[in-house]
Amino acid sequence: MNAPTMQNFFQTKTDTPDSDGSPEPVPAKLMPTTPDNRVLTIAEEIDALTDPSFMTSLARGLAVVKAFSDQRRAMTIAQLSHKTGIPRAAVRRSLYTLKQLDYADSEANNFYLKLKILSLGYSHLSSTPLTISAQPTLNQISRELNESCSLGVLEESEILCISRSQSSRVMSVALSTGSRLPAHCSSMGRVLLSMLPEEALSDLFFKGSSDCLH
């Protein structure tokens, strides 16, 4: 995660994407493009980095890890290769390494990440000064309002939840430390985006609905 030069915001209850039933297009993040204006794949971005100190295999492994999501918790080698643009052989080696280190496992042809993967980031998130100092306030707000309360930061076009106090309810939102949401369709994200200057917003999003990914 980049150094914390980001805006922070305490959020109660409405820290989830809009739920009016209508899908909302996700703005395309400004990404490197080819001369014909085609957005580079993750693999092409990695291959474009020619620094001799850059470790391509590590970058590919991290890209494979990041390709998993709440919606796609289990994926095949072919699906991961298609999503990242990384060759299947490289995806297979990354998954094999993750399995050997107990960060991933598989059932038949479907691979999934194990809980151990959380240790790579959670210890950092839970021990940052901001998270430690904010947790008592989050707990107090949650108790007084009987609503869940989250602390998040803006990372490019997403918000990253770095701390949360969950209310005691039968029905609750599955949002936890480390979760990410598109900034444009969550209330916390919109507040954080509203604090950015216009130039910074232009750097994050393409203008016009023709540049949206559906």
Side-chain angles (χ1 to χ4, degrees), residues 1 3 10 18 34 43 66 71 97 142-143 154 161-162 201:
M1 186 169 68
F10 286 104
D18 292 342
T34 61
K66 291 177 66 177
Q71 290 73 34
T97 302
S142 181
R143 284 194 303 269
L154 186 63
C161 179
I162 63 173
L201 286 173

Side-chain angles (χ1 to χ4, degrees), residues 49-107:
L49 297 172
T50 57
D51 185 340
S53 298
F54 182 77
M55 188 176 294
T56 300
S57 58
L58 176 59
R60 286 176 170 178
L62 292 172
V64 169
V65 170
K66 291 177 66 177
F68 290 93
S69 65
D70 289 341
Q71 290 73 34
R72 301 296 298 272
R73 295 184 177 226
M75 301 179 72
T76 64
I77 291 175
Q79 289 170 334
L80 287 164
S81 176
H82 177 75
K83 186 172 182 178
T84 61
I86 298 173
R88 293 191 186 190
V91 172
R92 183 180 295 106
R93 289 195 298 272
S94 296
L95 291 170
Y96 176 81
T97 302
L98 289 168
K99 282 188 67 175
Q100 292 298 108
L101 297 175
D102 204 32
Y103 289 116
D105 208 342
S106 63
E107 291 182 1

Side-chain angles (χ1 to χ4, degrees), residues 13-210:
K13 189 176 181 179
T14 55
D15 48 10
T16 56
D18 292 342
S19 55
D20 58 359
S22 58
E24 190 166 346
V26 178
K29 187 169 55 180
L30 196 58
M31 305 269 302
T33 58
T34 61
D36 59 355
N37 290 326
R38 179 178 61 82
V39 177
L40 294 176
T41 65
I42 297 172
E44 288 172 334
E45 286 187 60
I46 293 173
D47 292 339
L49 297 172
T50 57
D51 185 340
S53 298
F54 182 77
M55 188 176 294
T56 300
S57 58
L58 176 59
R60 286 176 170 178
L62 292 172
V64 169
V65 170
K66 291 177 66 177
F68 290 93
S69 65
D70 289 341
Q71 290 73 34
R72 301 296 298 272
R73 295 184 177 226
M75 301 179 72
T76 64
I77 291 175
Q79 289 170 334
L80 287 164
S81 176
H82 177 75
K83 186 172 182 178
T84 61
I86 298 173
R88 293 191 186 190
V91 172
R92 183 180 295 106
R93 289 195 298 272
S94 296
L95 291 170
Y96 176 81
T97 302
L98 289 168
K99 282 188 67 175
Q100 292 298 108
L101 297 175
D102 204 32
Y103 289 116
D105 208 342
S106 63
E107 291 182 1
N109 294 323
N110 292 301
F111 291 83
Y112 58 90
L113 299 178
K114 300 180 68 174
L115 290 177
K116 185 181 177 182
I117 201 76
L118 297 176
S119 65
L120 297 179
Y122 183 78
S123 58
H124 168 71
L125 283 177
S126 61
S127 62
T128 57
L130 175 61
T131 302
I132 295 173
S133 60
Q135 193 61 50
T137 303
L138 294 173
N139 294 338
Q140 180 181 352
I141 295 173
S142 181
R143 284 194 303 269
E144 291 180 357
L145 301 181
N146 194 29
E147 299 287 355
S148 297
C149 184
S150 301
L151 173 65
V153 296
L154 186 63
E155 279 206 332
E156 297 182 333
S157 61
E158 297 179 319
I159 56 168
L160 171 66
C161 179
I162 63 173
S163 188
R164 181 170 172 83
S165 181
Q166 186 78 37
S167 63
S168 300
R169 292 193 168 208
V170 176
M171 298 291 291
S172 60
V173 177
L175 186 68
S176 58
T177 300
S179 295
R180 292 176 178 270
L181 292 173
H184 78 287
C185 63
S186 59
S187 56
M188 177 160 42
R190 285 174 173 171
V191 170
L192 294 175
L193 289 174
S194 72
M195 299 178 183
L196 296 178
E198 185 175 346
E199 182 180 351
L201 286 173
S202 299
D203 290 338
L204 285 177
F205 303 114
F206 286 123
K207 294 180 180 179
S209 58
S210 62

